[in-house]
Amino acid sequence: MGRMRIVPTVTAALALTLAAGCAGGDGAKQGGPAKPSGQHGVRFEADRPVARADAPVNVRLKGLAPRTRVKIAAQAEDRSGGRWAATVTRTADSKGTVQLGDKGTARLLENMLPTSGPAAKLIGSGKAFSYHPGPPGKQRSYTVRFGATALSGKDKGERVARRDLVRQWLTKGTTHRKLTVAGDKIAGDLYLPAKGGGKKAPVLVFGGSEGGNAGTYAAALLASHGHPAMSVCYFRCGSGSGRPNGIDDIDLDYFTRAGELLRKQEGADPDRLAAMGNSRGSEAAQLLGQRRPDVFRDVIAYAPSSNVNGPYPSGTTAWTDHGKPVPTGPIPLDHVRGTVLAVAGGNDRMWGSADSAAAMARQGAKKLVYPDAGHHVNWFPLGQPGQEGGRNGAVAATAKADQAARADSWRRVLQLLAQ
């Protein structure tokens, strides 16, 4: 693969803390979402008003006068008070009902964009951005508010109904523990499933060139699916962390230490540990599967490179193994004990992940390439609206395809982990 093409990304910087319902807990508790409201019998109904953040939900609006036109909005606020929203306009049927269904609700959850605040200025900028609610370790769920405004009839111009959906990172019984270099020799978060579910494949999750603890949301959801999971921060982990500020001399022993700790947790099958890495992190995931097969079984590589690339943004070498530099160039996969799954977008404007997935497949990996998707095919569906940044300031509109890729690949990842 050729030299990596870097496009600025502000994904991590735009992490959100949504307004209502973010105070923790597993659902609508004190300080949580507002009670559903409406007028003249108009109301929102949802089959799963409280559900995992990756779970579909079917929302419908009932009690309207037949053929009334309405605007339905999904809204949230970011930390700076900026608003994010998505809207659709629908006409009630002869019974006065608007059926959003699973797909219509998903489009609203997926399509929210900033309408005010600093993030709004990035629309059309060519920079990639998206959002996440507050970290699961502090906020087990987040809330999205649905509202309906009449566009015709006697209530024209008025909001006729409101409902909050609680989207859970951590379901009942799951636990979280913060990990620090000082106390655990690891920076990150450990999420464990509810007790009594038997032993399942544990998953070590880490992100790419954005740095920080980017995999924490996926790790939390994996725990809610029954898998002991740990999200690892390997650079840009904050002051006092002892971790570097770039992908420079990152030793595989650091990830191995994290994997060994995860394998010892209750509910973890130590022989089925998977490494899940995104973008630059895909290199580390493959190297762990290849060089530590006694610890790691499966490799899940999102938007991958089939090569070891140089340091980022500067330095001497990206990865080391027992202190020795890992040379740049193709990553062999012949020692991987389990399955290598490569997930890529055919319209990736950051680097050639689809070509890398094909190269990995020639070594026996399974590949999932989504032709219209971009670089952000990683992790779970229904949670990361935004846009893809292209070269030379161009914007590639891949968000819809990215969401479809996440929905399909997340399902297949869970199937792989269940084997």
Side-chain angles (χ1 to χ4, degrees):
M1 190 185 74
R3 188 175 181 179
M4 181 180 178
R5 300 191 298 272
I6 299 294
V7 176
T9 177
V10 293
T11 301
L14 294 179
L16 299 184
T17 302
L18 298 189
C22 296
D26 294 303
K29 298 183 179 181
Q30 185 175 3
K35 293 182 179 179
S37 64
Q39 57 180 342
H40 310 309
V42 182
R43 64 195 182 279
F44 278 111
E45 293 182 350
D47 62 344
R48 284 188 281 186
V50 178
R52 276 193 331 267
D54 62 343
V57 58
N58 184 341
V59 172
R60 66 194 67 84
L61 183 64
K62 302 185 72 173
L64 295 162
R67 309 305 177 188
T68 300
R69 291 178 61 244
V70 292
K71 179 175 71 174
I72 299 175
Q75 297 183 342
E77 290 186 5
D78 65 21
R79 289 175 177 166
S80 67
R83 292 181 177 273
W84 294 63
T87 63
V88 294
T89 300
R90 296 289 180 87
T91 300
D93 61 20
S94 60
K95 297 181 179 179
T97 299
V98 173
Q99 293 279 2
L100 287 177
D102 292 351
K103 293 182 179 179
T105 307
R107 280 194 291 270
L108 280 169
L109 293 173
E110 295 168 350
N111 291 344
M112 287 189 295
L113 288 173
T115 59
S116 68
K121 298 177 182 179
L122 296 173
I123 294 178
S125 68
K127 295 181 179 180
F129 71 92
S130 61
Y131 81 83
H132 297 288
K138 294 183 178 180
Q139 147 185 339
R140 296 174 66 92
S141 63
Y142 71 98
T143 298
V144 178
R145 174 156 295 177
F146 276 61
T149 301
L151 299 178
S152 66
K154 61 182 178 62
D155 297 319
K156 182 178 179 180
E158 295 185 22
R159 188 175 68 181
V160 292
R162 182 185 69 190
R163 173 137 210 167
D164 290 350
L165 298 183
V166 176
R167 309 295 290 166
Q168 296 175 305
W169 301 116
L170 294 173
T171 53
K172 185 177 181 180
T174 54
T175 62
H176 164 262
R177 181 164 73 88
K178 190 71 178 175
L179 304 173
T180 65
V181 174
D184 306 282
K185 298 183 180 181
I186 299 295
D189 293 292
L190 175 65
Y191 298 100
L192 297 180
K195 295 181 179 180
K199 291 187 178 296
K200 292 189 177 182
V203 189
L204 192 68
V205 188
F206 39 90
S209 60
E210 71 277 12
N213 196 2
T216 193
Y217 306 92
L221 281 175
L222 286 167
S224 291
H225 280 278
H227 296 277
M230 182 190 299
S231 59
V232 174
C233 179
Y234 57 97
F235 80 105
R236 290 181 188 159
C237 304
S239 60
S241 68
R243 297 302 302 166
N245 289 322
I247 305 178
D248 182 29
D249 289 323
I250 307 295
D251 204 290
L252 298 181
D253 288 342
Y254 178 73
F255 297 100
T256 306
R257 187 160 57 246
E260 292 283 18
L261 176 61
L262 180 57
R263 293 171 80 197
K264 296 176 182 177
Q265 301 303 311
E266 184 176 358
D269 183 339
D271 294 327
R272 297 164 63 196
L273 176 62
M276 177 186 288
N278 176 54
S279 194
R280 284 304 304 262
S282 72
E283 299 170 34
Q286 293 170 76
L287 290 170
L288 291 169
Q290 175 71 7
R291 295 178 176 232
R292 303 286 195 277
D294 56 325
V295 178
F296 294 89
R297 185 186 73 166
D298 299 315
V299 173
I300 301 161
Y302 286 103
S305 169
S306 57
N307 286 358
V308 170
N309 290 276
Y312 173 80
S314 62
T316 56
T317 187
W319 316 104
T320 58
D321 189 354
H322 301 312
K324 297 181 180 180
V326 176
T328 58
I331 303 173
L333 299 172
D334 56 317
H335 291 164
V336 176
R337 177 161 54 95
T339 299
V340 177
L341 178 64
V343 182
N347 195 22
D348 187 337
R349 303 300 182 93
M350 291 194 179
W351 65 3
S353 61
D355 291 340
S356 285
M360 294 164 68
R362 289 193 288 272
Q363 295 196 68
K366 295 182 179 180
K367 69 172 182 176
L368 298 174
V369 176
Y370 301 91
D372 297 326
H375 192 72
H376 298 107
V377 293
N378 55 303
W379 319 135
F380 46 87
L382 301 176
Q384 300 180 63
Q387 68 183 10
E388 173 99 352
R391 289 174 290 176
N392 303 319
V395 176
T398 65
K400 182 177 180 180
D402 290 349
Q403 292 286 358
R406 290 179 191 138
D408 184 68
S409 64
W410 185 246
R411 173 180 60 84
R412 298 189 189 212
V413 165
L414 293 174
Q415 289 174 351
L416 169 62
L417 296 174
Q419 294 176 2

